[in-house]
Amino acid sequence: MLTRRQFLNTSFQSTSILSLASSIPCFLTRSLQAAENKNHGRILVVIELSGGNDGLNTVVPFNDENYQKHRNTLHITKEKVLKLNSEIGLHPAMTGAAQLVEDGRLAIVQGVGYPNPNRSHFESMGIWQSAQSNPKAHGGYGWLGRALDQNSKQVHTFADAICLGNVDPPQALRGRQSIQSTIRSLAELQLDSHTPSSETKPDESTTDDLLQYVRRRSIDARATAARITKLKNASITKTRYPQNGLANRLKGIARLIRADLEPRVYYTVQAGYDTHINQEFDHYRRLSEFSGALSAFLNDLRDSQLDDRVLVLVFSEFGRRVAENDSQGTDHGTAGPVFLAGPSVKAGLHGATPDLADLVDGDLKMTIDFRRVYATVLSKWLDINPQTCLQGNFAAMDLMNS
């Protein structure tokens, strides 16, 4: 029988596992326990392009003379663009996305924004995250949090949504009852080689509170370690992902989906789209990373026969101004494209192409309210009534296959 001192010494020699047990989100243990009850429900993955993506140089009106006029140094020529039709093409860095369109797995909604646009990153992101134009609502619940609240009684896991990445928890996931959890990296869940031996048997009859506490933590740590090891072994993929942060996070989300955890929503962020200066190189790199990561993610899920359960929504808080500035960059603008990806979407272009001859104070006119895209995702994918989530009536769009 171990003495109190011997048991404590043995346990605390495994500092990592004890630390891990305290840092592992409770949802993971519970979700892994619930994994035995297979969940074949639909999943939404949200990618936030933070900073305000330049929509005009993402979905390019290469044949519009006004485009070349306003983008003297930054315009992309028709020889370089990845053509979707005779007028519109994708940025040349987006070969993966172009292939997804051709495969029938990427829908592009043009001209998405909201009335009375706000050029502040903070305010505009608050509008997209809360689906509310009133600034007083921007510190409250988010549109997805309200959506998950509606099904909170049917979800038997601690976390209804997971944000993966070194970011603050997004407001979009904040709900009254639903729970979100943020993980910086799945590497946090790695185990070292000092896992306490299952042969270590503490004195179960002890009345020492501290010893009982350590014993419980040790048992929990071993159980969690076993489940994570099972998750790790079940998460092998042959898909080759690009080497960048977004790709790593999407690879991690694919692992969690393959592990059959219960969250219905996953969220991650790709930063760096605030391209005021020398935009060409940075924008090329961001779009290349995004396009390659999205393509690998969907191919990975397809190889795992899970892609029909997943829809990806991609948005940015605003587009850029139509005219480039004097620093070979672009400033904060208004409307931009939104992407929906997965085998269930109606691929190709949706909505009217932005009219560069009909601007408002040098900005694109919004032609589709972003809450119509949200209403589509909620009603046609997550099977959730959008009116309460969006606190208004917004007509769903014809973006999904029946």
Side-chain angles (χ1 to χ4, degrees):
M1 179 179 297
L2 291 176
T3 66
R4 179 178 189 268
R5 178 182 297 275
Q6 288 171 329
F7 178 63
L8 290 175
N9 284 341
T10 301
S11 298
F12 281 112
Q13 283 174 0
S14 304
T15 304
S16 296
I17 190 70
L18 289 172
S19 175
L20 177 66
S22 64
S23 62
I24 288 175
C26 294
F27 80 87
L28 187 56
T29 299
R30 299 189 184 191
S31 292
L32 286 165
Q33 289 171 334
E36 294 177 0
N37 300 321
K38 299 298 183 182
N39 180 355
H40 298 296
R42 289 175 170 176
I43 292 170
L44 174 66
V45 177
V46 180
I47 302 175
E48 172 191 319
L49 307 182
S50 179
N53 177 41
D54 181 12
L56 271 184
N57 270 21
T58 302
V59 183
V60 184
F62 62 89
N63 244 358
D64 190 326
E65 61 180 14
N66 288 307
Y67 167 67
Q68 299 178 32
K69 171 185 172 185
H70 288 293
R71 297 295 178 96
N72 183 41
T73 66
L74 292 177
H75 76 272
I76 299 171
T77 65
K78 61 181 179 182
E79 288 78 19
K80 292 182 178 179
V81 78
L82 304 172
K83 295 181 178 62
L84 299 175
N85 57 36
S86 60
E87 304 292 329
I88 304 295
L90 293 176
H91 189 287
M94 301 178 69
T95 53
Q99 186 61 54
L100 289 175
V101 175
E102 187 172 334
D103 292 347
R105 293 186 286 167
L106 182 63
I108 303 166
V109 188
Q110 305 177 99
V112 184
Y114 54 87
N116 303 315
N118 192 311
R119 292 192 179 90
S120 159
H121 291 292
F122 179 81
E123 295 296 338
S124 192
M125 188 59 78
I127 292 170
W128 280 82
Q129 299 260 352
S130 67
Q132 303 294 307
S133 57
N134 186 350
K136 294 181 179 178
H138 297 170
Y141 303 122
W143 71 284
L144 285 169
R146 291 192 292 269
L148 294 171
D149 279 347
Q150 294 190 23
N151 286 340
S152 62
K153 293 182 180 179
Q154 286 75 43
V155 179
H156 302 289
T157 181
F158 188 86
D160 302 283
I162 294 175
C163 175
L164 187 59
N166 189 18
V167 296
D168 293 332
Q171 183 193 349
L173 303 183
R174 191 180 306 156
R176 182 185 299 275
Q177 293 177 303
S178 59
I179 303 298
Q180 62 166 305
S181 186
T182 299
I183 309 172
R184 286 179 298 177
S185 166
L186 291 190
E188 291 181 348
L189 307 181
Q190 299 297 316
L191 304 178
D192 64 16
S193 59
H194 300 294
T195 303
S197 168
S198 60
E199 300 299 323
T200 303
K201 301 294 184 184
D203 181 5
E204 297 182 355
S205 63
T206 181
T207 58
D208 186 307
D209 290 341
L210 177 59
L211 190 55
Q212 286 185 347
Y213 169 77
V214 174
R215 181 174 66 82
R216 287 196 301 271
R217 298 296 301 275
S218 181
I219 292 172
D220 287 345
R222 291 192 197 106
T224 305
R227 294 186 183 107
I228 292 175
T229 299
K230 184 178 178 180
L231 165 65
K232 180 180 179 182
N233 293 338
S235 302
I236 298 172
T237 177
K238 295 181 180 178
T239 302
R240 179 173 295 181
Y241 280 78
Q243 295 298 312
N244 61 68
L246 177 63
N248 289 337
R249 292 189 291 279
L250 289 179
K251 185 178 181 180
I253 290 173
R255 288 180 60 186
L256 295 172
I257 292 173
R258 252 197 310 279
D260 217 6
L261 303 186
E262 288 194 348
R264 300 188 70 187
V265 176
Y266 293 88
Y267 195 106
T268 194
V269 177
Q270 185 194 22
Y273 283 92
D274 198 15
T275 50
H276 290 281
I277 301 173
N278 298 328
Q279 173 178 303
E280 183 177 5
F281 174 76
D282 280 346
H283 199 230
Y284 187 103
R285 183 161 64 95
R286 302 298 177 195
L287 291 179
S288 176
E289 293 175 352
F290 159 67
S291 173
L294 177 64
S295 177
F297 177 65
L298 291 177
N299 291 340
D300 187 4
L301 293 177
R302 182 179 60 187
D303 293 344
S304 301
Q305 299 183 334
L306 290 169
D307 59 336
D308 61 343
R309 289 180 51 198
V310 177
L311 175 68
V312 182
L313 167 66
V314 186
F315 79 98
S316 192
E317 66 265 42
F318 44 61
R320 315 295 293 188
R321 298 209 20 112
V322 173
E324 65 183 59
N325 60 30
D326 293 336
S327 301
Q328 298 184 344
T330 53
D331 299 323
H332 302 177
T334 55
V338 166
F339 300 93
L340 287 175
S344 299
V345 304
K346 290 187 175 179
L349 293 166
H350 297 266
T353 298
D355 186 349
L356 302 189
D358 186 17
L359 305 178
V360 178
D361 191 25
D363 282 318
L364 296 177
K365 285 184 176 178
M366 177 272 290
T367 53
I368 295 175
D369 192 303
F370 73 95
R371 287 163 287 197
R372 292 193 63 197
V373 180
Y374 286 1
T376 307
V377 171
L378 292 169
S379 63
K380 297 189 176 183
W381 184 251
L382 295 179
D383 196 23
I384 291 175
N385 185 342
Q387 291 187 12
T388 302
C389 310
L390 305 179
Q391 300 186 349
N393 294 319
F394 298 93
M397 301 179 65
D398 186 22
L399 302 174
M400 308 296 297
N401 295 316
S402 56

